[in-house]
Amino acid sequence: MAGGNDDRTERPTYRKLRKAREKGQVARSKEVPSAIVLLGILLVLYYTGQKILGELQRVMREFLTLRIPADFSATFISGISGSVGYQVAIMIGPLLLTAFALAMGANLAQTRGLLSWEALGFHIEKLNPSNGLGKIFSKNGLMELLKSFAILVIVSVISYQVVSRHAALYPHLVIMDTRQLIHWTGSISYEVFLRVAVFLVIMAIGDYMFQRHRFLESLKMTKQEVKDEFKDMEGDPQVKGRIRRIQRQMVRKRMMTDVPKADVVITNPTHYAVALLYKMESMEAPQVVAKGVGYLALKIKELAQKHDIPLVENMPLAQALYKTVEVGEHIPASLYKAVAEILAYIYKARNAWNR
């Protein structure tokens, strides 16, 4: 069908990607923050876990050995709860801050610091239950469900492998003291979580690449859309024509102000006129400061005569200069000899006149 997805074969343009970004639409994987947070917390626990456990034991010991006063009241309970809560918050605060910082960093890395007010704005259609159900039972919703189920299965397999590897240890747990029980329980749990975290990181990288591919596919354009966007960027042909006319007028005005500075105007004799300037001490070659054909050539010659600029008729040279050299450029080496002869003649005549 014309205009369908089959016709969207062109990569999205920079302009379309920019507009999508302004709307808050970027490639993003929900698995990246969770994987990074889990791995980051495990690394923090690896270096600070013993210290945190020691502090928790100290707080628990103080709480259990606390002497209850005779005037037991709600104020006493509130004070004890606040003190214990404060000490626990100090201990686990770094973990919470680490999780928050890693989650923010992972999202910012995916979106490259995107903050779209349009995406944060209120949209009444988001409250429509049918839209939510449509997302759940859509193709994307089914893929997310299958992905979650696959993650659950793989995490279960990893956990089973780690737990079963220590099966010989479990009958001895019942005769261990509290310190040993906590040590082995923590070690096995840490190994499980570490393996799961590594798996989630690998899966998150793959999921992000897939989400980016799907995002770019969803923004693909038809050839006609690319053409229309190019026209929009280039502007209306009438506006472009007006801009070109204004630019030509500015160039002509600037040329006319430079004609009085010229050393000679080479003509043909009525159609072409090219004004040349040469400063021996600062220029490698003569420079074209103005040129014109037809009416503009006549205006250049009139201005040259008004300011006593020599006019030299040379049909081949005038045409060659007009066709090969733009205003502001130096003449090519192939025309050096012809122009040098004219300039030498003019300088000689000017010196004779000054005498």
Side-chain angles (χ1 to χ4, degrees):
M1 184 174 65
N5 291 334
D6 293 340
D7 296 331
R8 299 185 179 276
T9 57
E10 305 303 307
R11 292 174 60 86
T13 60
Y14 172 78
R15 186 186 185 198
K16 186 163 186 178
L17 289 172
R18 186 186 64 194
K19 285 186 175 181
R21 182 175 176 81
E22 290 172 355
K23 295 178 181 179
Q25 299 173 1
V26 292
R28 184 184 305 163
S29 170
K30 295 183 294 184
E31 312 303 331
V32 171
S34 57
I36 296 298
V37 167
L38 178 58
L39 184 60
I41 288 179
L42 290 175
L43 291 175
V44 172
L45 286 175
Y46 179 80
Y47 292 102
T48 64
Q50 291 293 338
K51 182 178 179 181
I52 293 175
L53 181 61
E55 288 296 316
L56 284 174
Q57 289 176 340
R58 181 186 61 79
V59 172
M60 184 63 69
R61 193 180 301 112
E62 290 180 358
F63 181 75
L64 293 176
T65 57
L66 184 68
R67 298 183 63 180
I68 308 245
D71 55 341
F72 187 78
S73 63
T75 304
F76 174 76
I77 296 176
S78 175
I80 293 298
S81 301
S83 175
V84 172
Y86 174 76
Q87 294 184 66
V88 172
I90 292 296
M91 285 182 284
I92 66 174
L95 288 177
L96 298 178
L97 291 176
T98 299
F100 176 77
L102 290 175
M104 289 290 294
N107 281 302
L108 290 175
Q110 290 188 91
T111 61
R112 289 176 294 175
L114 173 65
L115 180 61
S116 174
W117 296 110
E118 183 172 346
L120 294 174
F122 176 75
H123 301 280
I124 188 65
E125 61 272 12
K126 291 183 178 180
L127 301 179
N128 190 345
S130 61
N131 291 338
L133 291 174
K135 290 181 179 180
I136 294 174
F137 295 102
S138 65
K139 181 179 178 181
N140 291 339
L142 179 61
M143 290 184 64
E144 290 296 324
L145 177 62
L146 292 175
K147 183 176 68 175
S148 300
F149 180 75
I151 292 174
L152 179 62
V153 170
I154 295 175
V155 168
S156 299
V157 170
I158 293 174
S159 303
Y160 174 77
Q161 289 178 341
V162 175
V163 171
S164 61
R165 199 155 54 84
H166 297 86
L169 177 68
Y170 301 141
H172 302 283
L173 294 178
V174 294
I175 60 175
M176 291 183 182
D177 59 24
T178 304
R179 186 180 296 274
Q180 291 177 316
L181 184 62
I182 292 175
H183 168 75
W184 283 109
T185 303
S187 297
I188 295 172
S189 300
Y190 187 86
E191 185 177 351
V192 170
F193 282 115
L194 184 60
R195 289 173 179 263
V196 169
V198 172
F199 159 71
L200 290 179
V201 168
I202 296 173
M203 192 215 64
I205 294 173
D207 185 63
Y208 175 77
M209 295 175 65
F210 172 74
Q211 295 296 339
R212 180 172 176 79
H213 170 74
R214 190 169 67 173
F215 172 71
L216 293 176
E217 287 291 318
S218 69
L219 293 181
K220 273 192 171 181
M221 306 168 68
T222 64
K223 288 182 170 61
Q224 186 60 43
E225 287 175 336
V226 174
K227 292 179 181 178
D228 292 341
E229 185 169 293
F230 180 76
K231 288 180 181 179
D232 291 340
M233 293 175 64
E234 287 293 308
D236 187 85
Q238 295 181 353
V239 175
K240 289 169 60 180
R242 178 175 174 81
I243 292 174
R244 283 196 293 266
R245 287 195 298 272
I246 293 174
Q247 290 174 339
R248 285 196 295 268
Q249 291 172 0
M250 294 175 64
V251 171
R252 289 175 183 175
K253 185 176 181 180
R254 186 171 63 251
M255 283 196 311
M256 291 307 175
T257 59
D258 289 338
V259 170
K261 305 175 185 177
D263 292 303
V264 63
V265 174
I266 301 174
T267 66
N268 171 29
T270 57
H271 294 89
Y272 293 92
V274 180
L276 297 177
L277 170 67
Y278 182 52
K279 300 295 183 183
M280 188 177 302
E281 65 279 1
S282 59
M283 292 184 179
E284 297 180 357
Q287 181 185 38
V288 174
V289 294
K291 69 175 185 177
V293 64
Y295 174 76
L296 187 57
L298 293 175
K299 297 298 292 183
I300 291 174
K301 289 191 289 185
E302 289 176 5
L303 194 58
Q305 291 173 342
K306 182 179 179 181
H307 290 85
D308 298 324
I309 307 297
L311 300 177
V312 177
E313 286 188 18
N314 190 319
M315 183 182 302
L317 182 58
Q319 292 184 7
L321 287 169
Y322 182 85
K323 294 177 182 178
T324 60
V325 187
E326 296 297 328
V327 175
E329 294 181 354
H330 296 286
I331 67 171
S334 59
L335 300 177
Y336 280 179
K337 184 177 179 181
V339 173
E341 292 175 354
I342 294 174
L343 290 176
Y345 172 77
I346 291 173
Y347 293 154
K348 185 177 179 181
R350 188 179 296 167
N351 291 334
W353 177 265
N354 292 334
R355 289 177 187 175

